[in-house]
Amino acid sequence: MAGMKPRVAVIQFPGVNCEWETADVLRSVGLEAVVLRWNLPPGEIAGHDAYVLPGGFSYQDRVRAGAISAREPVMETLTEAAANGVPILGICNGAQVLVEAGLVPGDADGAVKVALARNQMPGRSGYYSRWVELETTNVVCAFTRGVPAGTRIPMPMAHGEGRFTSADPDVRGGLEQGTSVPFRYADADGAARGFPANPNGAVGAAAGVVGGSGNVLALMPHPERSAWLWQVPQSHPGAWGERRRAWSADDGDMATAGPGRIPFEALARTLTEA
Amino acid sequence: MRALCIVELKTPDPAAASAFGAFTRRLGLEGTLLRLDRADLFDLQVDDSQARHLQPLLAHTTLIANPNKEDARLIEGPDGMPLDGPVILVRDREGPAGEALTARIRRDHAELGTLVVRRAVLWTPTFAAGVSDPEALARSMADGRTRTSGLLANPHADVFEVLTGRIPPGVLSGASVAG
């Protein structure tokens, strides 16, 4: 209906902790956002124009991060939506759920094709958090629509199990060659070649892996944590750091958009220009 | 000398509870799976001359088990741990975790300077009487190749093994040690 905003559902599994700020970012790009508990009747979850699985620790990461949530009935609704081309974004723990549900990379048989394995970092192990630089590629994705390949997007990562990998040689090859990777970790020269620019040892420096027909994205870093310019550290290098310092010097507007808004703006374009 | 150490929470294990709930409510095992227990399994290798220091390590440090919240069982001898039914052993594909723990113990406890620790997760299902092939059922519980099949191991991150009869000492020693 003309004039109506596209409606996006943010699914609140027990233990997630980024649902409200994710909804705020969706609203900031002109979308209607609702936070829905995961155990609502399917009829109340179905029918949205897009879905976001936010970050956090659903089911306390028990067994494996995302593994329990991926078996919940709500994922049947999302699997059906994904097959119908509805955009679905999983951020961090949400990405882990999408991977465990077989939606990323995803195919008709529903097989789990990749894992978000434990971080591999020289000289350390476990949970790790830092600002990273992402670079978009030319892989078709609902969350990069209208975004030129090579666009730099700084945002924080914070996880212990975030290394995209696969035991399937074909799928692993897709990660290595970037054919399923619309967002990759980057350093000054391009794709990140090592730690800490690639903060977890992900194959192909994959930060985000796409599924379906480009409508499903599992993204490990947190764009909602850099969606306002004031969230970017003043010490951040590069163009966004310069903008942040200038913003401070000019006593800038708190509402000024940050780099993490780019994937959400792309989603808004996908939903309104389709 | 090789030994096994089984470490379990003194309180009900929340990961086992969630996995049990997923199996019985989502994966069709209601009435078939009666109970699911989870433990950390440590495969320990140490020179015979240092073996006597293992028990004090468990009793007086929190490196392998925290006595405030966990029970640790040290199983020595060639027979390993006898089993009543199938168990599922899950470890990283890259090798059983334990490198960092091994390094820390060797650094802080010179009396165990030859110790090698390998670690995996041990799942023990209890099935209803009359289940025709418990070993096959245990295998299906582990094999998480789709979200509607198993759960305990993601084939791209983990490997699993279903054991029956006993867990032999050195069960994890065939693989290299990874962090």
Side-chain angles (χ1 to χ4, degrees):
Chain A
M1 192 181 300
M4 285 190 67
K5 294 178 178 178
R7 297 184 322 135
V8 183
V10 179
I11 305 299
Q12 184 188 44
F13 284 107
V16 302
N17 56 22
C18 302
E19 62 272 41
W20 299 107
E21 55 266 54
T22 300
D24 281 347
V25 184
L26 290 163
R27 292 178 189 123
S28 77
V29 298
L31 303 172
E32 180 181 328
V34 290
V35 176
L36 300 180
R37 289 175 64 81
W38 87 106
N39 56 356
L40 285 171
E44 293 185 38
I45 292 177
H48 287 80
D49 297 307
Y51 295 89
V52 180
L53 306 186
F57 300 88
S58 65
Y59 288 98
Q60 272 188 334
D61 288 351
R62 294 173 187 175
V63 182
R64 276 184 318 286
I68 300 291
S69 295
R71 272 79 181 171
E72 289 290 308
V74 64
M75 295 310 297
E76 292 169 19
T77 304
L78 266 62
T79 299
E80 188 177 333
N84 290 329
V86 174
I88 301 176
L89 170 63
I91 301 171
C92 196
N93 187 236
Q96 292 160 335
V97 175
L98 292 179
V99 161
E100 286 284 338
L103 287 175
V104 172
D107 59 21
D109 64 5
V112 175
K113 301 280 191 182
V114 296
L116 282 160
R118 291 197 301 171
N119 297 348
Q120 279 186 344
M121 305 171 285
R124 61 185 299 159
S125 61
Y127 191 88
Y128 186 58
S129 177
R130 66 174 282 119
W131 278 74
V132 290
E133 193 89 358
L134 302 195
E135 183 178 75
T136 58
T137 73
N138 58 10
V139 170
V140 173
C141 174
F143 301 90
T144 56
R145 183 183 175 122
V147 181
T151 298
R152 292 300 183 104
I153 311 176
M155 62 181 78
M157 54 73 65
H159 54 249
E161 299 171 42
R163 174 170 52 96
F164 278 106
T165 187
S166 179
D168 180 322
D170 291 338
V171 177
R172 188 180 176 91
L175 294 174
E176 288 171 343
Q177 293 158 24
T179 55
S180 57
V181 181
F183 291 91
R184 62 185 180 189
Y185 298 110
D187 58 23
D189 302 319
R193 287 160 297 185
F195 184 85
N198 179 346
N200 52 36
V203 174
V209 172
V210 75
S213 54
N215 56 308
V216 185
L217 173 66
L219 182 66
M220 281 312 297
H222 285 266
E224 82 283 7
R225 296 183 188 174
S226 71
W228 279 268
L229 189 56
W230 57 263
Q231 294 175 306
V232 177
Q234 293 203 47
S235 59
H236 195 82
W240 282 102
E242 289 174 19
R243 287 186 210 182
R244 174 64 173 85
R245 289 186 288 278
W247 178 89
S248 284
D250 294 343
D251 198 15
D253 182 349
M254 292 296 286
T256 305
R261 211 173 290 187
I262 292 172
F264 296 97
E265 291 167 340
L267 171 64
R269 282 191 289 275
T270 296
L271 294 176
T272 56
E273 297 173 5
Chain B
M1 179 269 215
R2 293 184 184 279
L4 301 172
C5 182
I6 310 293
V7 177
E8 296 173 284
L9 286 174
K10 293 178 177 179
T11 55
D13 187 305
S18 290
F20 179 80
F23 281 121
T24 54
R25 291 183 294 117
R26 311 297 182 212
L27 298 173
L29 293 187
E30 186 170 12
T32 300
L33 180 67
L34 302 182
R35 180 185 170 105
L36 182 63
D37 293 297
R38 178 195 174 284
D40 287 323
L41 182 142
F42 294 88
D43 181 356
L44 308 172
Q45 178 183 344
V46 67
D47 279 359
D48 288 347
S49 62
Q50 299 181 343
R52 69 183 188 283
H53 299 296
L54 282 177
Q55 192 65 58
L57 183 79
L58 296 176
H60 303 304
T61 78
T62 57
L63 289 169
I64 288 181
N66 182 339
N68 295 306
K69 64 177 184 177
E70 294 168 320
D71 289 320
R73 233 176 341 142
L74 188 64
I75 301 163
E76 301 175 83
D79 294 337
M81 177 182 171
L83 300 171
D84 294 329
V87 298
I88 304 155
L89 210 53
V90 180
R91 62 172 174 81
D92 281 5
R93 282 191 71 84
E94 284 89 358
E99 187 175 51
L101 181 57
T102 295
R104 184 163 176 205
I105 293 173
R106 287 180 173 185
R107 185 192 68 202
D108 295 348
H109 297 269
E111 72 277 14
L112 283 165
T114 63
L115 182 66
V116 175
V117 182
R118 295 178 175 88
R119 181 179 191 168
V121 177
L122 175 67
W123 297 91
T124 305
T126 302
F127 298 125
V131 168
S132 61
D133 191 345
E135 190 176 343
L137 186 53
R139 185 166 287 108
S140 72
M141 289 173 62
D143 189 353
R145 69 179 64 190
T146 74
R147 72 176 188 85
T148 54
S149 57
L151 166 66
L152 302 177
N154 179 318
H156 303 284
D158 310 310
V159 292
F160 72 88
E161 189 176 1
V162 174
L163 300 173
T164 58
R166 69 187 183 106
I167 303 175
V171 65
L172 299 177
S173 62
S176 60
V177 178

